[in-house]
Amino acid sequence: METAPAAKLVSLGRRSVRRRRSWAFAAGVALVATVALPFVLLPREKATLPPATTVNFGGLAISVPKGWKAIEVPIFSTCTAQPRTVYLAPKFDFSYGQPSEGPPGDNKPVECPGKGKEWIAAVQSGFSGVSVNPQQLMAKDGQLLEVQKLDEYRPSEPDVRLYGSFSKPFVTPTVFISGPDEARDRLIKNITWPAGPSAPPGGGLALPSRVTSGTAEEVTDGPPYHRMVAASDAKTLNQIRSALAALREPVPTDEACDLKKPGAIGIILSDGENDSAHVVIGDETCPVAVSTGGGQVRVPPELGKQLLALIVASDKAATERARN
């Protein structure tokens, strides 16, 4: 059992690489209305949008399924979501746990009306990064989406998945889709994401021209079962960058595949100043490498493990030097 999951969300900001998940709240005042049920926070609907085939939100184009409605709300809560509804919201309700009602000590869980039902929500802010080693990167609309289970954070929401842009996590809204597997697979086809960055003019992967650090996640026998490792010595970093820069064979769009754990390896390369790239390298199940800066190329199946081993060895050597 994981006691301290280490590589949740890391910021891909221009100045630093964060090592833990950061749930960022956008500036401003959230418009929230309380209702009669104690301990329950419900968003007030702004307006039901006029019937439309497609709604646009933050660069997304969402085709509203027949018989559904689209609603704008100031803050979105998964518990108050109604079935057959598309929600558009600037913020997300981060209240954790199952809402309850009744006096303290005698609380009863409130049944969420949208639990297990089909609905879609697009939320503009609140999710500020991607995982160092994503659980799944799904190919869609010429780019990759990080797919996460909401029940990783809310066990009461097993049927909800989050879909976030791998290359533009701070700009593109996060999409929530609720429903059984078949329903989610069907509903995601109703959503079009902005195209991701194109490959560099000369092909290959977009990488920093100079690399001063490389960060990855190591899976151990634990505890901790996951830990962040980093390389900062020039020899190791040059080996890693050279190996990635040598990858030149592009992957046609119709041959794109999903990068998944445990085989996929994520590495963040940074120049320590203004340039960084998050590279995810697949194994034999999806022998592809991608960069947040652009580019998708074929890779030898063992390359990810080999580069991770270099970072682990560099991290270990640095730790031993610090002790002496």
Side-chain angles (χ1 to χ4, degrees), residues 260-290:
K260 298 180 181 180
K261 279 184 170 183
I265 303 294
I267 299 174
I268 295 177
L269 301 176
S270 173
D271 68 354
E273 296 181 357
N274 300 316
D275 197 7
S276 66
H278 186 173
V279 178
V280 178
I281 308 159
D283 60 1
E284 65 275 1
T285 65
C286 183
V288 171
V290 299

Side-chain angles (χ1 to χ4, degrees), residues 116-310:
K117 306 296 183 181
E118 296 180 17
W119 50 259
I120 297 171
V123 179
Q124 182 64 60
S125 65
F127 302 88
S128 64
V130 294
S131 304
V132 173
N133 210 16
Q135 187 71 33
Q136 177 184 357
L137 288 179
M138 181 178 72
K140 177 88 166 60
D141 300 328
Q143 68 162 300
L144 292 171
L145 304 176
E146 180 174 9
V147 184
Q148 303 176 71
K149 295 181 180 180
L150 185 61
D151 66 355
E152 181 179 348
Y153 321 105
R154 295 187 177 181
S156 62
E157 302 284 357
D159 294 323
V160 181
R161 297 292 184 274
L162 285 69
Y163 302 83
S165 170
F166 175 64
S167 59
K168 299 179 180 179
F170 306 101
V171 178
T172 309
T174 297
V175 172
F176 297 72
I177 300 180
S178 174
D181 291 346
E182 175 276 328
R184 292 194 305 271
D185 292 342
R186 168 172 44 83
L187 291 173
I188 197 170
K189 296 177 182 178
N190 289 51
I191 306 169
T192 302
W193 270 262
S198 57
L205 297 172
L207 302 169
S209 58
R210 181 176 66 94
V211 178
T212 60
S213 68
T215 305
E217 174 193 12
E218 180 189 19
V219 179
T220 71
D221 294 331
Y225 296 97
H226 298 259
R227 74 183 189 98
M228 302 304 299
V229 289
S232 57
D233 64 286
K235 180 180 178 181
T236 298
L237 296 173
N238 286 337
Q239 283 182 278
I240 294 172
R241 192 190 183 286
S242 296
L244 294 174
L247 303 172
R248 313 299 294 178
E249 184 180 355
V251 178
T253 302
D254 59 356
E255 295 182 22
C257 52
D258 290 3
L259 291 160
K260 298 180 181 180
K261 279 184 170 183
I265 303 294
I267 299 174
I268 295 177
L269 301 176
S270 173
D271 68 354
E273 296 181 357
N274 300 316
D275 197 7
S276 66
H278 186 173
V279 178
V280 178
I281 308 159
D283 60 1
E284 65 275 1
T285 65
C286 183
V288 171
V290 299
S291 169
T292 48
Q296 296 191 35
V297 294
R298 299 189 190 280
V299 298
E302 297 296 317
L303 180 63
K305 293 179 181 179
Q306 294 168 359
L307 298 186
L308 175 61
L310 291 175

